[in-house]
Structure formats: structure tokens, C-alpha cells
Amino acid sequence: MSEFSDRSVAIVGSGPGGMYVAQALLEKAPGCRIDIIDRLPSPFGLIRGGVAPDHQKTKRVDQKYAQSITENDNVRYVGNISLGRDVSLDELTAIYDAVVLAYGAPYDNKLGIPGEDKKGVFGSNAFVGWYNCHPDFKDLGPNLNIGTAAVIGIGNVAIDVARVLSRTPAEMSTTDIADYAMNDIDAASLKDVYMFARRGPLEAACTNNELKEMGVLEAATTVVDGSLLPDEMPDDMDDREKKVRQRIIDTLKSLSEAKPGEKRRTVHIEFYASPIEILGGDTVEGIRMERTKVEGGRCIGTGETFDIPCEMVVTCIGSRAEAIEGIPFNERSGIVEHEEGRVAPGVYAAGWVKRGATGTIGTNRLDSYAVTDLLVADFGGNAKPGPDALDTLTQERNLQVVSFDDWLVIKELEEKAAPEPSPRKKFSTVEGMIEGLNAAR
Ligand code: NAP
């Protein structure tokens, strides 16, 4: 018996933010019982549904997360249970000594410009979810039989979207991209993809490794206007930042040597361009952009505008969390209201629901460990009933919980269904996963 063995914690969300809280609890509160609750039968959040299908190496972090569950009897995965739909926060706080909200930021930010509601405008969460087989977005049905698509933003998500739209089936054969998406992308008449960055090359939000991939696509050329690239770094930039920025500029310089139309598709990176209106009738027919300049790091409109005809717009401009009843929410920043991770007595936030949609997978580790320190320090009073009480509740409500062993059955079905050398053919519906699981039992 450890001093924590009568304590229990529910982590809501099994993406990186939540999984690092579980790992931290295993170290800092050994013996504490940990339930990781997720609304989907499949665990690990953005690792499965957000990380690009052609970044399989990144996805392999899921093996470490899986170990935290399989190698520890006091950790359970409680899949297919949704906070707000199946259980309330009040119920969870009555059952567990602490509840950690780590359900991510799956809602797309809005541009807030006229025409944004036209057919053919998609947010990146929806678009990425579509090609990643996310059950919420499998029916998105973007029409790719078009000439031109516009991608707004130049963060890593925008790069993912532009790259996946440019890949061939051969390049994607080792991935788990949805079949329906790969078929549509391959059959598409799409010729040009514009990536619009509202600021300049020195402010690009993407990282160099991701940008470099745009230069080695089998059937797409990426082009950028070399005259916009600075020869020197600004004096007021610190040395570390200079190094990071110089690498990006060097990559952009090498991209600037390519010519549009050299391959089947062309990705045009356009700096200093901010969207002001999406044009067309019910469906997108173009996008009106305003030329910008950057002063003191800030983007300023110049009043000069230009139109690019296009039939699809994918906004990759960041994400916000879901406002769940009973949980204080900051509408402006799109995150749960908290103080250093403390939301209310016994309730904590971790991951993107706490910090907003920024940083790499690894950023979550430090942050989740810090929140866990607070949580463990706050343990006090009589221990709450813990996981058995959740089981009673889910049984009373006739909810089908997907345990980690159940998930391993679904995972094996996906792996067996995949044609070599693809790692898995994902289920794209919750019903499909549950039916597959029930039939395999
Ligand atoms: P992000 O890095 O914040 O990039 C958002 C982009 O949208 C920026 O270019 C931003 O421009 C632009 N933007 C925001 N509001 C806009 C508006 N109203 N009009 C025009 N442009 C607008 O967000 P993200 O790409 O969604 O990525 C989220 C996080 O996940 C990032 O930390 C990212 O690095 C990480 N991620 C990493 C990987 C990877 O490592 N491979 C892959 C995917 C995501 P400004 O810079 O001017 O604001």
C-alpha cells in the first residue's frame, strides 16, 4: 500500500496532454488509480486523428502511451464515454479525488470575414479529420475536382494540408490515410494550391523540417517569390531565433528556384496576404486578399487587394476547445478558464484545453507534469469512491465502455485489414469499431 493507493484521478481525453498527466501520476502518486476517459473507442486523440498520415514516425509515440496503460494495473482506458453526453463533471468530481480536463481544442477558429459560410470552405480540424478517418468528419466530402484550392495560414497544419493534397498514392502507401481521401486526392483535377501567410517569411509559423518536405514531393512543386526573402537577419533578433529563422529562409530560397507547373500540382506560398472576403454564390468561387506589411512583428493591411479564383478554402488558423456546460470557459481565447491549471477545487486542465493549440507533442509533457504537481499537492480530505463508482454508473446507463483490451482487438482488426505496406486501415465510424469489436469477441 502506498500513501496514494486510496486516491483516484479521472483524466478526460487520451491525447498527449492527458497521457502525460497519466505518466506523471505514475511517478508522483504511485498506486493512485487512474481512469483515462475518452469519447471515442480509439485512444490517443490527435496522435491518431490529427498528426498527418505520412508522419508515421511521429505517431509511434502512441506505443509509449500504450505502455503506460498495459504495464500498470492501476491505469484503465475508459473509451467510448463522453463528458457532457454520458457523464457530467459533477458526477466525475463526486467519484474521483481529481478530474483533469484534457479534451483538446478540436474546433476551428473562424476568419470572421464575409463568405466564410459558403460551400467549399473547411476548417483544418474538419479537413485533417476527413483524411485521417476521424468519425466526426468522414462525411465531409470536399469536392477536389477543382482547379485551385486556397489554404489560409503557414503553420505546420497548413503545411500538412498542402502536402497531403499534393501526395501520390505511391508516396502514401506506407501511411494510414483514409482510402476515400486518397482516391479523391489522386483523381482530383486540382492543379494549384495557394498557401496564404498574412505576415512575412521571418514570421512564418511553420518549422523548417516540415517546410523542407514541400521541396521533395513526387508530383508537386512548391514555389515562392525569392525577392521577398531577406538576405540578413534583423539585428534585434536573438542568436537562437536567428538560427531557427535562417534555416527557414534557406529552405524558402531553395523553393524559390522551382518553377510553377513543373509537376502535376503546384503549391504557391504567398507571403504578406490576408483574406478579407470569400467570393462566390452558395459555393466558393474565389478569395479576395489584402496585401499586408509587417511593422513591429504585426500584420498591417495596405488597402491593396487582389482576387484569386479558387473553388475550395481550407482555413488553418488555429483551434479552440469545446465549451462544456458547467466548466468555466474563456470565449476570447477558446480555452478552459484556469489558474496555472487549476479550474475549480479538484478540477484541473492540461494540454490544449489549457494552453490553446500551440506547441509540439513534447510541449505537453512539461506542462502536464507541472499540472500533476499541483494536483498531487492538493490531495486532501477523505478519499472519493473511485473507478468502481464509474463502473456502476456506466452499467446503470447501459453504456458500452471500450477498455484498453477491447481497443487492442479493434487495433488488430485495423492492422489485419491493411494492405502491405500500410500500417492499418482505420475504421472511420464509431459503429464500425463497436461492431467489429463485438463480432470479434
Ligand atoms: P499555428 O502554428 O498557430 O499557425 C496558424 C497560422 O494561421 C499562422 O500562419 C497564423 O498567422 C495564421 N492565422 C491565424 N489567424 C489568421 C487570420 N485571421 N487570418 C490569416 N491567417 C491567420 O497553428 P497550427 O498550424 O494550427 O498548429 C498548431 C500547433 O500544432 C503548432 O504549435 C504547430 O507547430 C503544431 N503542429 C506541429 C506539427 C509538426 O510538428 N509536424 C504538425 C501540425 C501541428 P500569424 O503567424 O500571422 O498569426
Side-chain angles (χ1 to χ4, degrees):
M1 283 273 283
S2 87
E3 67 169 302
F4 297 107
S5 49
D6 62 344
R7 295 290 168 187
S8 59
V9 177
I11 300 169
V12 183
S14 65
M19 289 311 301
Y20 289 121
V21 170
Q23 288 184 2
L25 279 168
L26 285 166
E27 283 176 33
K28 292 161 189 278
C32 160
R33 285 161 305 154
I34 304 164
D35 276 356
I36 303 163
I37 299 171
D38 201 291
R39 74 182 175 97
L40 290 179
S42 51
F44 310 141
L46 276 190
I47 302 300
R48 177 177 164 99
V51 170
D54 54 343
H55 284 176
Q56 289 296 318
K57 225 168 117 194
T58 308
K59 284 182 190 275
R60 272 182 226 138
V61 69
D62 68 355
Q63 294 170 7
K64 280 256 175 284
Y65 298 164
Q67 268 174 11
S68 320
I69 301 172
T70 54
E71 291 178 359
N72 295 285
D73 290 342
N74 52 329
V75 184
R76 302 194 310 177
Y77 177 66
V78 185
N80 205 28
I81 298 297
S82 178
L83 172 63
R85 181 192 66 194
D86 300 320
V87 286
S88 69
L89 182 62
D90 283 349
E91 285 164 339
L92 291 183
T93 52
I95 292 174
Y96 298 93
D97 296 294
V99 177
V100 182
L101 307 173
Y103 47 78
Y107 292 100
D108 292 298
N109 282 339
K110 293 280 178 204
L111 285 168
I113 61 172
E116 202 171 357
D117 54 352
K118 289 191 196 308
K119 213 167 156 232
V121 181
F122 304 102
S124 60
N125 281 286
F127 200 79
V128 169
W130 171 70
Y131 62 62
N132 258 337
C133 280
H134 193 294
D136 289 354
F137 304 112
K138 69 159 185 54
D139 294 325
L140 193 73
N143 174 18
L144 303 181
N145 267 322
I146 56 177
T148 304
V151 172
I152 311 299
I154 192 169
N156 283 333
V157 171
I159 300 260
D160 282 347
V161 167
R163 189 184 69 250
V164 170
L165 277 173
S166 307
R167 289 279 199 201
T168 63
E171 286 177 295
M172 295 303 265
S173 63
T174 54
T175 79
D176 54 5
I177 189 171
D179 287 350
Y180 56 78
M182 190 66 250
N183 291 341
D184 284 4
I185 290 168
D186 187 42
S189 52
L190 180 67
K191 237 173 128 260
D192 294 286
V193 177
Y194 281 84
M195 286 184 69
F196 290 112
R198 63 179 170 179
R199 295 189 290 161
L202 283 174
E203 292 84 21
C206 60
T207 42
N208 187 45
N209 280 346
E210 280 58 35
L211 187 63
K212 266 183 8 200
E213 285 184 81
M214 298 305 292
V216 289
L217 297 170
E218 189 178 281
T221 313
T222 303
V223 297
V224 62
D225 178 355
S227 71
L228 297 176
L229 306 176
D231 292 322
E232 285 174 7
M233 291 292 119
D235 291 337
D236 57 357
M237 203 180 255
D238 70 45
D239 287 349
R240 201 180 150 271
E241 184 67 4
K242 271 185 191 163
K243 247 192 202 160
V244 171
R245 292 287 145 197
Q246 189 60 57
R247 286 198 200 107
I248 291 178
I249 299 299
D250 290 345
T251 302
L252 288 168
K253 278 190 179 146
S254 72
L255 295 176
S256 73
E257 285 157 20
K259 300 267 171 303
E262 281 176 344
K263 294 182 182 171
R264 183 181 178 199
R265 289 187 182 141
T266 303
V267 179
H268 309 254
I269 299 180
E270 276 276 331
F271 287 107
Y272 303 108
S274 184
I276 53 171
E277 185 175 352
I278 294 172
L279 309 169
D282 289 346
T283 306
V284 180
E285 289 170 28
I287 187 158
R288 181 156 298 155
M289 307 295 301
E290 181 178 17
R291 270 289 159 228
T292 61
K293 57 183 179 175
V294 174
E295 280 178 11
R298 292 189 55 227
C299 155
I300 296 174
T302 62
E304 183 198 338
T305 65
F306 62 99
D307 295 349
I308 296 280
C310 64
E311 300 93 339
M312 180 172 85
V313 175
V314 185
T315 61
C316 304
I317 58 168
S319 311
R320 45 196 291 116
E322 183 184 1
I324 293 182
E325 212 187 314
I327 299 173
F329 194 73
N330 185 325
E331 278 297 339
R332 200 180 48 81
S333 42
I335 58 175
V336 160
E337 202 81 72
H338 68 90
E339 230 168 84
E340 291 178 46
R342 286 187 176 104
V343 177
V347 183
Y348 303 83
W352 280 7
V353 86
K354 169 182 179 248
R355 302 191 318 277
T358 57
T360 61
I361 294 167
T363 314
N364 288 291
R365 194 170 186 281
L366 270 182
D367 198 53
S368 293
Y369 269 66
V371 171
T372 307
D373 279 337
L374 298 180
L375 181 162
V376 174
D378 289 350
F379 274 149
N382 293 335
K384 303 248 177 100
D388 291 349
L390 182 73
D391 293 347
T392 307
L393 196 146
T394 55
Q395 280 155 19
E396 277 168 9
R397 291 183 187 165
N398 221 3
L399 301 169
Q400 181 166 358
V401 170
V402 172
S403 67
F404 204 71
D405 282 345
D406 292 338
W407 159 246
L408 292 178
V409 173
I410 298 170
K411 180 172 175 276
E412 198 182 342
L413 290 172
E414 290 190 337
E415 287 165 358
K416 280 196 175 140
E420 278 285 330
S422 163
R424 67 191 69 80
K425 183 175 158 65
K426 285 181 190 168
F427 285 103
S428 57
T429 62
V430 169
E431 297 74 36
M433 289 187 230
I434 300 293
E435 276 165 26
L437 169 66
N438 292 342
R441 270 197 184 130

